[in-house]
């Protein structure tokens, strides 16, 4: 059965470029991002893994561990990492699963046979600190991901997990947020003392509450 938002992220053990790991232990009590790429020594994937390595500190600030996967083996990954470091001017600093037996790819439904019979597509799973799946996005092999967007989404997920708010279209850190429809307008001042605007009875905005 396909995984859906709110499902417990299935646990697994896997061989990675940094040794064997247990997924849930690796996440600890923080957040995580698990993402697949189609194959080693391919151009778009090379730029993607370089981009993620450069953003590792940004993920760490959000208490989010990074874990990549492809169906190539560990030795292949290790050789390719040298190329990524050289060409992307970085140092890959997170584990990459060598999923040759496709155990994890199948568990997370990362192979879409009508797209490609054997390669993983560009799946992204964001896992919350309760080990539940908070976000699923799937891109085709031909489109490299925007990892700044993934940081933005994690900001939204973490904010909305802690406050009764939602984030509007194109929201970024520091911008006003939407008060959850579950909050009555008369209860807003007590919950959101920074102020609020009632644009419509169903559209109430307030400054980002955690700043
Ligand atoms: C790439 O990473 O460049 C790529 C991988 C598989 C198919 C197309 C592009």
């Amino acid at each position: 059965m396909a995984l859906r938002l709110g499902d417990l992220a299935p646990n697994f053990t896997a061989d990675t470029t940094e040794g064997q790991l247990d997924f849930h232990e690796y996440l600890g009590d923080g957040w995580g991002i698990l993402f697949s790429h189609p194959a080693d020594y391919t151009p778009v994937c090379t730029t993607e893994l370089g981009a993620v390595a450069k953003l590792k500190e940004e993920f760490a600030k959000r208490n989010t561990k990074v874990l990549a996967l492809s169906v190539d083996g560990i030795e292949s990954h290790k050789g390719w990492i040298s190329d990524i470091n050289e060409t992307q001017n970085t140092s890959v600093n997170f584990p990459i699963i060598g999923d040759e037996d496709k155990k994890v790819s199948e568990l997370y439904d990362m192979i879409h046979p009508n797209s490609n019979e054997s390669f993983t597509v560009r799946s992204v799973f964001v896992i919350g600190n309760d080990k539940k799946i908070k976000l699923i996005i799937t891109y085709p092999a031909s489109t490299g991901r925007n990892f700044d967007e993934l940081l933005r989404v994690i900001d939204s997920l973490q904010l909305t997990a802690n406050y009764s708010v939602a984030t509007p279209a194109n929201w970024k850190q520091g911008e006003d947020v939407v008060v959850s429809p579950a909050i009555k307008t008369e209860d807003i001042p007590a919950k959101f003392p920074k102020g609020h605007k009632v644009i419509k009875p169903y559209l109430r905005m307030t400054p980002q509450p955690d700043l």
Side-chain angles (χ1 to χ4, degrees):
M1 249 239 318
L3 293 170
R4 293 182 172 163
L5 300 189
D7 290 354
L8 186 70
N11 196 21
F12 55 82
T13 53
D15 288 325
T16 81
T17 48
E18 299 186 6
Q20 218 198 31
L21 63 71
D22 172 289
F23 185 44
H24 284 188
E25 272 177 26
Y26 175 67
L27 296 178
D29 54 13
W31 288 60
I33 169 167
L34 171 66
F35 66 102
S36 57
H37 60 85
D40 294 0
Y41 296 102
T42 50
V44 176
C45 300
T46 299
T47 62
E48 283 196 325
L49 294 202
V52 173
K54 288 179 187 158
L55 289 174
K56 175 89 183 302
E57 278 306 303
E58 290 300 320
F59 285 108
K61 273 188 214 161
R62 292 157 177 84
N63 195 20
T64 300
K65 293 264 183 70
V66 174
L67 182 58
L69 171 151
S70 91
V71 294
D72 291 317
I74 300 296
E75 287 316 308
S76 164
H77 288 351
K78 285 185 174 166
W80 181 41
I81 283 173
S82 302
D83 282 7
I84 298 169
N85 291 345
E86 177 197 326
T87 62
Q88 307 304 301
N89 194 23
T90 189
S91 177
V92 170
N93 44 16
F94 52 86
I96 307 175
I97 297 172
D99 196 37
E100 284 180 294
D101 62 2
K102 301 185 177 153
K103 185 179 85 175
V104 180
S105 319
E106 283 170 3
L107 188 62
Y108 277 79
D109 200 22
M110 291 164 163
I111 296 174
H112 296 199
N114 290 328
S115 173
N116 186 291
E117 290 241 331
S118 47
F119 291 151
T120 37
V121 290
R122 298 187 198 281
S123 298
V124 183
F125 292 85
V126 175
I127 318 291
N129 56 359
D130 55 3
K131 307 279 185 300
K132 295 206 172 139
I133 297 173
K134 305 297 182 189
L135 174 91
I136 303 173
I137 319 182
T138 309
Y139 297 69
S142 52
T143 304
R145 284 159 281 204
N146 182 332
F147 290 93
D148 290 327
E149 164 62 3
L150 290 171
L151 291 171
R152 189 194 74 86
V153 172
I154 291 169
D155 286 340
S156 170
L157 289 168
Q158 294 184 341
L159 176 70
T160 60
N162 291 317
Y163 295 88
S164 298
V165 297
T167 57
N170 300 329
W171 173 86
K172 290 192 294 297
Q173 272 288 6
E175 294 178 356
D176 287 357
V177 297
V178 170
V179 177
S180 164
I183 307 294
K184 291 187 188 145
T185 297
E186 60 267 31
D187 294 336
I188 293 177
K191 281 199 168 276
F192 299 102
K194 289 182 178 173
H196 70 281
K197 259 183 266 167
V198 178
I199 297 165
K200 289 281 179 189
Y202 58 85
L203 176 57
R204 294 93 38 98
M205 306 296 293
T206 189
Q208 184 175 331
D210 64 342
L211 294 180

